[in-house]
Amino acid sequence: DDLRSFIENAKNEGSVPTDYAVPFAHTPAFVGSHVDGYDNMVRGVFEHFWKGQPRTEIKGRFNLIPGFDGFCVGNNRELKRMLSLMGVDYTFIQDASDQYD
């Protein structure tokens, strides 16, 4: 589906408030595979809220974006465990490990 047009029409018709943020990404059926769809969803959210915004660096901290992972329950927890053991300060983006329990 053409989500951009769908959201624009919904706002024009009053179904969605015009100032309400609606990030989106095209589904795998529209373009690419389920892996592409996951990556597009993450990118779509970031671009919606932060495109064109000034970037600020936080020294000693990094963002971890693991991408699509069918084994995220174990893998993400292990990544977080190892980073904690090393004393690394991070922000974990898109951690679905708790949702799959």
Side-chain angles (χ1 to χ4, degrees):
D1 292 328
D2 183 359
L3 296 175
R4 185 182 318 266
S5 294
F6 180 81
I7 294 165
E8 185 178 321
N9 288 338
K11 287 184 174 188
N12 289 339
E13 294 172 3
S15 299
V16 175
T18 56
D19 61 343
Y20 189 78
V22 184
F24 71 92
H26 294 294
T27 61
F30 188 74
V31 61
S33 69
H34 61 285
V35 175
D36 297 324
Y38 182 89
D39 292 343
N40 288 340
M41 180 270 307
V42 174
R43 182 178 181 175
V45 169
F46 285 151
E47 284 184 347
H48 181 82
F49 290 107
W50 293 286
K51 189 173 186 175
Q53 299 296 319
R55 296 182 183 190
T56 57
E57 181 180 350
I58 301 173
K59 301 272 186 206
R61 185 178 186 90
F62 77 99
N63 294 327
L64 177 63
I65 307 173
F68 181 85
D69 181 4
F71 299 103
C72 71
V73 172
N75 291 345
N76 289 0
R77 287 187 181 142
E78 184 62 11
L79 284 169
K80 292 186 286 187
R81 185 187 74 80
M82 290 188 299
L83 291 168
S84 294
L85 286 172
M86 293 184 283
V88 175
D89 195 16
Y90 64 92
T91 299
F92 206 108
I93 310 292
Q94 298 297 324
D95 181 11
S97 57
D98 289 336
Q99 284 72 22
Y100 286 135
D101 276 354

